[in-house]
Amino acid sequence: MPKDDGIGAATVRREDVRFLTGAGRYTDDIQASGEAVAVFARSNVANGVIKNIDISHASTMPGVLAIFTGDDFTEVGGNPAGWLINSRDGTPMHEPKRPVLAHGKVRHVGDAYAAVIAETKEQAMDAIEAIEADIEELPAVVNMKEALSATTFVHDEIGTNQCFDWGWIEDNRAATDAAIKSAHHVTRLELVNNRLVPNAMEPRSSRAEYHRGNDEYILHTTSQNPHLTRLLISAFVLGIPENKLTVIAPDVGGGFGSKIYHYGEEALVLAAAKKLNRPVTWTADRTEAFLTDAHGRDHVTTIELALDKDGHFLAFRTETLANVGAYLSNFSTATPTFLHGTLMAGNYTVPNVYVNVKAVFTNTAPVDAYRGAGRPEATYSLERVIDMAAREMGMDPIALRRKNFIKPDQYPYASAAGLEYDSGNYDALMDKMEAVGDLSGFAARRKASEAKGLLRGLGVNAYIEACGIAPSNLVGVLGSRVGLYDAATVRVNATGNISVMVGAHSHGQGHETAFPQVVADMLGIDAASIDIVHGDTSKIPFGMGTYGSRSLAVCGSAVVRATEKVITKAKKIAAHMLEATDKDISFEDGVFSAIGTNKSVPFGEVALKAYIPHDFPLEQIEPGLEETAFYDPANFTYPSGAYCCEVELDPETGKVRVDRFAAVDDFGNVINPMIVTGQVHGGLGQGIGQALLENTTYDEDGQLLSASYMDYTMPRADDLPFFKVDHSQGTPCTHNPLGVKGCGEAGAIGSPPTVINAVIDAMQSGGKNVTHIDMPVTPHRVWTAMQNA
């Protein structure tokens, strides 16, 4: 049995107390005397040449302290992509500069071309209205297919709208083509992975200070990755010496990927704070968030599945157009390639896989990693085409998947898409899903729905994902420009309480609860005596932040390594206290004992002794009890799962209602079941939102038509069922000390194809030969598809 607050205990999240009582401290809550406010002038055209920006009148208006335009940043760098991708022919990707403020051209609606700093927000907004911008509007490039042949370019200097043409794995291409050509059956499907707006509860916000006396900067900002933000600003954008810049991400109200990246607003407030020698703050309104936060997904994919006459998979082949928007965001090039293409073998023993991705610039907001980051796109393509193939071949969708699953005795398993899976049991997950989802009762539930004039459909899905991108030496060869390790410092204070400084950042993941459980379990002490420090680059070792479900597997492993170092040193101190050698010291349940004797000393006394070293042999034992460890994983972790969903569809209106949903996941060892269940719930909500409701729509002129909650439909409580979540079928990860796998994105990965498969099943049960419908399956789309069928 787990300790009451150790590994495996479903303890309540301690951080929720301050959030629920209004005691959270967010960037916008941080205020100081003399603070000025920044407001941005943003383009209302998607593509245009900046002829002139006249700030003469605006600069004389009441309260205006400074006005910045792109001309003020021509001598500094641009915000780079974090991953260099080469095309199939070996040529590097096109990487046009992404400036702090638009210079020469604006490239999407919402692109900032000027910023006003004033005493109050109202004064800054008035001055924004007085700026006269002469922008010559050009035709907008919006449609990805048309963009590849267009003569209008988002970036004129590169002479094309194609960023790269990537193939994976190029050596597999001929064999994959041959397998498809000679196959007994080929299922072919074109599908859209709809563009999404992240919609974190807290909009982006940044606050900068400059201290002239020591030439130091402090940036408070809504970041999932404060060390990366500091690195980019220092090395690429403003050139501030890294040791002179502190980046602090306090409480952050959600991110879902959109706050991993550095944005120009952060650099602007830093430059303004230095110029004015006073704090400068900016907080986005919701419309700015819609227009400028990095969007997610936006793929158009053609996928082919080749099968033999018995239903064995022979090959997957995909061609994808991936929208990167107007500029390359920091991980926009990795998301559709290495985070997507490498998962295109799924859970299956398919021998041939080939993936082609063309990344396309358009006059839309930049697109980057959003919850799941490439893995939802891969899973959606695979699990939709598998379902379609089952129907075309007259096979049961579950049986077809089972026939092709990797089996437990095949691990480690080298997939045809280039990954080595270390553990899993997909049949066990499917068994549990059938039980938890009560699939044996589906026929009766379908009859009951039909009696009400409704169509009931069942959809299933089997997914695998790759979490905690790794290892650094491999991804470096593949184009990553950053390391993918993480770090932790465990500081045992003299009174025995502990501060753990972690490189991961918590913005909803529950780190302040889960990380102490790990340390408490290792040290045999009360988790309440352990505090987590994160988000402040001046206090924590260099870490790589939180994204890609990496926190526990990567940073948690660094915590384990640092705690092991603490125990090793504490054994030396205990040995000195007990007049033994450290090799003769055992440590269990918070007590150090001299083996073969009745002498022992508790952890707290050893901690105190570490700071009162009156009789230490100082050449052998240093005072203090604090250790730091870095952890670079040997491989990804590979969570997997089997999901089922039942929907009711009203054939008269096209309205779809998700009635039941069961999610069975393999997350390896589970540190806190309550947190894991909550993470799955959140992901399921977002995935169902994508499947049924959410869609980002630009018109042909590049105007965002869904720029508010009046036009962009977010899921509400009544759009979601009560989820059945199970993670009892875990197979431990074999290469990290905790045996854990990522859990934060699974729900968003597995749910969209499950819902769409259920909707197709419902329509076909009503006699409508609809084989595919694109997300979101709005009532209008469903009704139209059924009428056309």
Side-chain angles (χ1 to χ4, degrees), residues 44-65:
N44 59 9
V45 301
N47 194 17
V49 176
I50 299 174
K51 296 291 189 178
N52 185 52
I53 299 176
D54 185 354
I55 63 172
S56 56
H57 175 52
S59 62
T60 65
M61 294 182 67
V64 173
L65 303 170

Side-chain angles (χ1 to χ4, degrees), residues 332-561:
S332 60
T333 55
T335 300
T337 54
F338 290 108
L339 300 183
H340 160 247
T342 55
L343 268 296
M344 288 306 298
N347 314 49
Y348 307 106
T349 56
V350 57
N352 300 291
V353 172
Y354 181 69
V355 180
N356 175 224
V357 177
K358 295 181 177 67
V360 185
F361 290 109
T362 62
N363 291 121
T364 61
V367 178
D368 209 318
Y370 171 72
R371 197 171 193 167
R375 291 102 77 201
E377 295 89 324
T379 298
Y380 183 66
S381 300
L382 288 172
E383 293 300 307
R384 280 294 300 120
V385 78
I386 290 169
D387 234 57
M388 182 180 285
R391 295 181 185 280
E392 291 177 351
M393 296 187 70
M395 299 183 68
D396 176 75
I398 293 178
L400 180 60
R401 288 173 170 86
R402 286 184 183 272
K403 182 186 289 285
N404 291 280
F405 276 159
I406 301 162
K407 303 304 178 182
D409 61 0
Q410 293 179 275
Y411 293 100
Y413 184 84
S415 85
L419 298 178
E420 184 174 280
Y421 306 156
D422 67 310
S423 65
N425 190 334
Y426 311 133
D427 282 301
L429 290 167
M430 193 67 82
D431 291 343
K432 189 69 173 182
M433 180 271 285
E434 291 192 52
V436 172
D438 185 26
L439 266 59
S440 62
F442 172 71
R445 291 191 292 274
R446 171 170 273 176
K447 285 186 178 180
S449 294
E450 289 171 349
K452 298 184 292 183
L454 303 175
L455 304 175
R456 179 174 286 263
L458 170 66
V460 299
N461 154 70
Y463 80 88
I464 188 170
E465 61 158 324
C467 299
I469 312 172
S472 291
N473 56 7
L474 173 61
V475 298
V477 172
L478 297 176
S480 175
R481 289 166 164 168
V482 294
L484 293 167
Y485 53 85
D486 223 302
T489 296
V490 175
R491 177 182 298 161
V492 182
N493 299 303
T495 52
N497 53 40
I498 296 174
S499 298
V500 181
M501 284 69 78
V502 294
H505 183 277
S506 183
H507 41 278
Q509 291 80 7
H511 294 176
E512 294 174 42
T513 301
F515 284 152
Q517 289 182 254
V518 172
V519 178
D521 202 78
M522 294 180 69
L523 296 180
I525 62 176
D526 186 351
S529 67
I530 303 166
D531 277 335
I532 301 300
V533 180
H534 66 95
D536 185 335
T537 61
S538 69
K539 295 179 180 178
I540 60 178
F542 195 103
M544 292 308 298
T546 296
Y547 49 86
S549 299
R550 69 189 302 274
S551 295
L552 197 56
V554 184
C555 190
S557 294
V559 170
V560 169
R561 294 290 186 246

